[in-house]
Amino acid sequence: MTTHTRALLMSAAASCLMAGAAAAECPAVTMADMAGVEPGEFPQQYEVSAFESAAGCEMTFSANPEAEALNAEIKGNPELPPLEDRLPAEPLVVVPYESIGTYGGTLRALSNATEAGTSDFLSVRHVNLVRYADDLQTIVPNVAKSWEWNDDFTQLTFNLREGHKWSDGAPFTSADVKFWYDNLALDPKVIEKPKDYVLVAGEPMTVDTPDETTVVFNLPSPKPGLLAHFATHFAQGFQPRHFLGQYHPDINPDADTLAQECGFETGLAVIAAYYGNSDWTDTPTPMLNAPDKVDCLPKGTYPTLESHIYVSDTTEGRKLVANPYFFMVDPTGQQLPYISRQDELYANDNEVRILKLVNGEADYKSQSLTLGSAPLLLESQEKGDFTVQLKPTIAMPTFSFNMTAEDEAKREVFGNLDFRKAMSVAINRDELNEVSFFGQGEPKQYIAFSPTPSFVDPELTKLYAEYDPEEARTLLDGIGMEDTDGDGFRELPNGDKLVLNMQFATQGIGGEVVELVAQYWSDVGIQTTVKEVTPDEYRSAQSSNQLDVGMWEKGQPVAIVMGNKELFVPPFENYFGHRTAMLWAEWVDSDGASGVEPPEWVKTMMSDIDAFQGAVPGSDEQSEIGARLAQSMAENLPFIGTVQAPNVIYHRNALKNFAEFKTQSYEYYRTFPYLPAQWYLSE
């Protein structure tokens, strides 16, 4: 069947259904026929005007019949107006993967803990200005209706949807984008240091709002990757000025007085209670972080554009209900999302999570699952009535040594390239692949870019990645690390005992990988201890420069690196990723006033990544710089790569319109490319 034929059949079926006919009276070929369409062959979403033109009729809309009851659970929301007053003038039309859904039900999710292991569940309701389509190559509209670059990538204009509303019914306008940028992202009173992705080569942009539906980002220099940032990142390019702005002293001179009425010292303290101070969209709400004050506050959580909104937030988990103002509809005019409620349960113990999945106690899970759990899950699929997808990953498990460790003797050794080379060639990646990844992976060295782009010599991914324990021992001997007390383990060159404390969290790396690598290092005379900790404990130790060894998945596609340079600037990622050399980062952040000055190869990478981001995408100039960045990363080994292998995606079969994923990856923000608002439950 050709694309054109599918389009005509789809339009005919939609026109018939929208006209009010029973499904049985409509054409035999319906939305289910779209399931076999290859990514990019046929659009999964339309602007309503284009859809109406294709269908030959004007859309009429209908809402979840539970909407009014659900809205009553949202603290501070007024009574609902009719649906036509809740939708934008042009809602986004989503073509379901399999079939038109039915309303109702509760999506059950499992997360590690508050603010740790929650990006999986966050992605299910996530929206941003744009997103990647399910081909992971095409950027398509989302909150923004359209966009346009100028010729030299120094001005990006977004066009918003007329009549779009926040979850409390207040208008969403260009002022909400400017408020996010000027009053949150760039305000040191809210976020101490601006994130890299809101800057261009370290300099801020400006935001113009010529009218309520037009936003113009003015860049100080070219940064074509800014658009891809909005398509992949958890940080949303908008926040509700009408609500959070009332607590910001630069917007409301009475902000502090208003805050003090509910027991907060300042308006900024209220913003911190609602929004946090890191731009992570999963900050605990006042329902959890200020339970003694929440009754006084006007809302339990700040308004959202996402598909669902919090109505409960505790240390055991969270509950959400459908956003009655959500901006997406299906081809029959039904407002999305189909699923009325979402429940998130916290379960820190990995074995408990696996058992719950085997028993069908969650509807979807991917984050924190490792390939080690695949045999049990695959074996249990039929009995448990769920499906497991094994899909390629973008990031891979990596290890790093703290080159700015507080202990000067450790710092000297960890900063010695021969030591890092030794620890890399001591790893038996082929055996690691067979034991931990069932032979399904590819042994690799870390080069930052993943997948390996065409401008990088594939041989670079093999540098210092061949198993050679004798070479490891020779290198360690050469830097003066010998077993001076006869216990079988090497001491530091100054004679001090060295024990590598290897703390890991299953959210970031599999325990079986850590255990094997620890054994390989022990085999060449480096004593190790292994301990599993929670993600929050790991990140806290990492932030305070207390880790000897960092270990977490790492790597990003070129598109993301074009918009975010964190992989090449100390500490080489954000709070939620794999960081190292925290004192180098302090030196960078303080312009050399404090911390430890990094070596020249780090400074060169910092310069090169700015040039890479400013170059024309795909140009010879960009390719040359990109190749240099990858080579520096591999040759200097700030991170040691292991094996890139597929990983697990789990969903219950009762969860419908669930796509075949292209990757199991955080880097494209998990479920975001696959439009979870179309999911529905068949039971």
Side-chain angles (χ1 to χ4, degrees):
M1 186 184 296
T2 67
T3 300
H4 180 66
T5 303
R6 281 194 179 97
L8 292 175
L9 289 168
M10 187 275 291
S11 298
S15 299
C16 179
L17 289 164
M18 287 189 293
E25 301 171 8
C26 292
V29 181
T30 62
M31 299 302 157
D33 294 278
M34 300 306 297
V37 179
E38 291 298 316
E41 182 184 356
F42 192 83
Q44 201 199 341
Q45 64 180 44
Y46 288 84
E47 297 307 318
V48 71
S49 56
F51 190 85
E52 287 177 339
S53 176
C57 66
E58 183 176 345
M59 291 190 78
T60 57
F61 304 106
S62 58
N64 186 336
E66 298 179 0
E68 290 189 8
L70 294 173
N71 183 66
E73 297 183 28
I74 304 172
K75 177 179 169 59
N77 262 23
E79 289 188 15
L80 289 182
L83 179 61
E84 56 266 27
D85 295 330
R86 305 201 304 265
L87 289 171
E90 290 195 281
L92 189 65
V93 181
V94 173
V95 179
Y97 281 109
E98 299 171 1
S99 59
I100 298 297
T102 55
Y103 283 126
T106 299
L107 180 80
R108 299 168 302 161
L110 282 175
S111 295
N112 293 36
T114 307
E115 291 193 273
T118 56
S119 68
D120 219 5
F121 186 47
L122 277 172
S123 74
V124 172
R125 61 182 184 273
H126 183 65
V127 297
N128 214 326
L129 291 169
V130 291
R131 72 177 181 93
Y132 268 100
D134 56 11
D135 62 0
L136 303 187
Q137 298 179 34
T138 310
I139 295 177
V140 296
N142 196 239
V143 167
K145 185 176 183 292
S146 60
W147 67 89
E148 183 179 7
W149 278 107
N150 67 348
D151 291 341
D152 65 354
F153 297 101
T154 59
Q155 190 175 79
L156 176 59
T157 301
F158 287 106
N159 299 300
L160 308 179
R161 300 173 189 279
E162 182 181 350
H164 197 163
K165 294 180 175 64
W166 291 97
S167 56
D168 62 353
F172 164 64
T173 71
S174 57
D176 296 307
V177 180
K178 186 171 178 62
F179 169 71
W180 159 74
Y181 192 75
D182 291 351
N183 300 108
L184 299 178
L186 290 187
D187 190 338
K189 299 188 299 295
V190 178
I191 296 177
E192 182 177 357
K193 176 194 171 191
K195 305 297 182 181
D196 167 68
Y197 45 76
V198 304
L199 305 173
V200 179
E203 298 298 321
M205 301 179 280
T206 61
V207 178
D208 293 334
T209 55
D211 57 53
E212 288 192 344
T213 58
T214 306
V215 180
V216 183
F217 285 89
N218 302 294
L219 287 63
S221 58
K223 189 177 182 179
L226 178 63
L227 188 68
H229 159 72
F230 287 121
T232 56
H233 208 267
F234 62 79
Q236 296 166 328
F238 40 80
Q239 288 300 330
R241 185 184 192 276
H242 74 280
F243 184 73
L244 293 179
Q246 66 184 321
Y247 296 107
H248 199 296
D250 293 350
I251 293 174
N252 178 14
D254 297 322
D256 291 348
T257 301
L258 183 64
Q260 288 159 8
E261 292 175 0
C262 288
F264 291 89
E265 290 188 9
T266 65
L268 291 172
V270 180
I271 290 179
Y274 278 111
Y275 179 71
N277 56 10
S278 73
D279 77 3
W280 176 236
T281 55
D282 220 16
T283 297
T285 70
M287 290 180 275
L288 180 60
N289 65 37
D292 57 327
K293 301 180 179 70
V294 70
D295 287 344
C296 176
L297 291 169
K299 296 183 185 296
T301 187
Y302 62 88
T304 186
L305 299 182
E306 297 175 343
S307 64
H308 293 78
I309 183 170
Y310 294 124
V311 294
S312 172
D313 190 1
T314 72
T315 55
E316 285 75 42
R318 293 175 286 198
K319 298 181 184 296
L320 302 93
V321 299
N323 175 3
Y325 292 86
F326 195 56
F327 66 100
M328 297 182 193
V329 298
D330 72 14
T332 70
Q334 292 186 108
Q335 184 186 26
L336 299 177
Y338 293 126
I339 296 177
S340 298
R341 299 178 182 272
Q342 295 180 344
D343 282 2
E344 180 181 25
L345 175 69
Y346 300 139
N348 273 328
D349 189 293
N350 188 53
E351 291 185 4
V352 170
R353 290 196 299 270
I354 299 300
L355 181 61
K356 286 182 177 294
L357 295 179
V358 168
N359 292 336
E361 296 179 35
D363 295 302
Y364 160 75
K365 182 65 180 169
S366 183
Q367 185 179 19
S368 300
L369 293 181
T370 67
L371 202 60
S373 65
L376 176 60
L377 291 172
L378 288 167
E379 180 183 296
S380 306
Q381 280 185 111
E382 185 173 351
K383 182 179 179 181
D385 197 25
F386 57 81
T387 296
V388 172
Q389 298 179 21
L390 297 180
K391 293 297 177 181
T393 54
I394 300 294
M396 70 170 165
T398 57
F399 293 82
S400 66
F401 289 93
N402 187 354
M403 292 177 282
T404 63
E406 299 292 346
D407 185 311
E408 292 286 349
K410 286 183 179 179
R411 182 187 300 183
E412 183 178 353
V413 166
F414 295 164
N416 189 315
L417 179 57
D418 279 348
F419 174 79
R420 301 195 299 277
K421 287 180 183 178
M423 302 306 269
S424 183
V425 299
I427 298 173
N428 188 340
R429 290 169 176 82
D430 288 334
E431 183 178 79
L432 183 65
N433 183 30
E434 292 299 325
V435 174
S436 295
F437 302 106
F438 310 107
Q440 299 300 302
E442 180 182 359
K444 277 188 175 182
Q445 190 54 269
Y446 175 78
I447 61 168
F449 297 105
S450 181
T452 303
S454 59
F455 56 71
V456 173
D457 182 353
E459 290 298 308
L460 199 62
T461 64
K462 301 177 183 177
L463 190 64
Y464 310 130
E466 295 296 325
Y467 178 51
D468 192 342
E470 286 307 313
E471 174 65 9
R473 295 184 181 98
T474 299
L475 288 166
L476 294 171
D477 289 343
I479 62 175
M481 295 189 69
E482 300 177 355
D483 177 13
T484 58
D485 61 6
D487 67 351
F489 295 108
R490 301 171 185 268
E491 278 69 52
L492 293 166
N494 68 354
D496 289 352
K497 189 172 183 62
L498 173 65
V499 180
L500 295 179
N501 296 307
M502 300 177 64
Q503 300 178 45
F504 76 96
T506 55
Q507 180 188 336
I509 194 168
E512 64 280 0
V513 175
V514 179
E515 293 281 358
L516 273 172
V517 170
Q519 185 59 54
Y520 297 141
W521 290 345
S522 294
D523 290 345
V524 296
I526 302 297
Q527 190 172 0
T528 61
T529 63
V530 175
K531 179 183 178 182
E532 181 177 354
V533 297
T534 69
D536 287 337
E537 289 171 329
Y538 176 89
R539 288 172 175 140
S540 177
Q542 186 174 242
S543 296
S544 58
N545 200 36
Q546 297 304 306
L547 294 181
D548 286 339
V549 188
M551 54 200 83
W552 204 271
E553 292 186 342
K554 197 170 184 70
Q556 292 177 357
V558 170
I560 293 178
V561 173
M562 285 173 56
N564 192 336
K565 66 183 182 182
E566 63 186 6
L567 294 190
F568 298 94
V569 178
F572 304 106
E573 207 162 350
N574 60 66
Y575 175 80
F576 302 102
H578 186 165
R579 296 172 293 159
T580 193
M582 300 302 294
L583 298 185
W584 288 354
E586 183 181 329
W587 186 91
V588 172
D589 290 346
S590 67
D591 293 325
S594 62
V596 174
E597 184 174 0
E600 283 303 315
W601 63 267
V602 174
K603 296 178 184 177
T604 300
M605 284 204 308
M606 291 168 58
S607 175
D608 278 348
I609 187 58
D610 283 340
F612 179 83
Q613 291 187 334
V616 174
S619 65
D620 290 344
E621 178 191 13
Q622 189 189 58
S623 295
E624 181 182 341
I625 300 168
R628 193 161 64 235
L629 284 165
Q631 183 170 353
S632 182
M633 191 63 73
E635 288 181 346
N636 290 290
L637 288 175
F639 301 91
I640 296 173
T642 55
V643 176
Q644 187 166 19
N647 214 336
V648 176
I649 301 166
Y650 166 105
H651 79 280
R652 280 204 318 128
N653 294 333
L655 186 63
K656 302 301 183 182
N657 288 334
F658 193 92
E660 186 81 12
F661 284 33
K662 273 212 161 18
T663 70
Q664 195 266 38
S665 66
Y666 171 80
E667 290 67 40
Y668 288 98
Y669 211 44
R670 305 201 182 277
T671 66
F672 188 36
Y674 308 101
L675 288 169
Q678 67 177 305
W679 291 354
Y680 71 97
L681 294 161
S682 62
E683 58 185 42

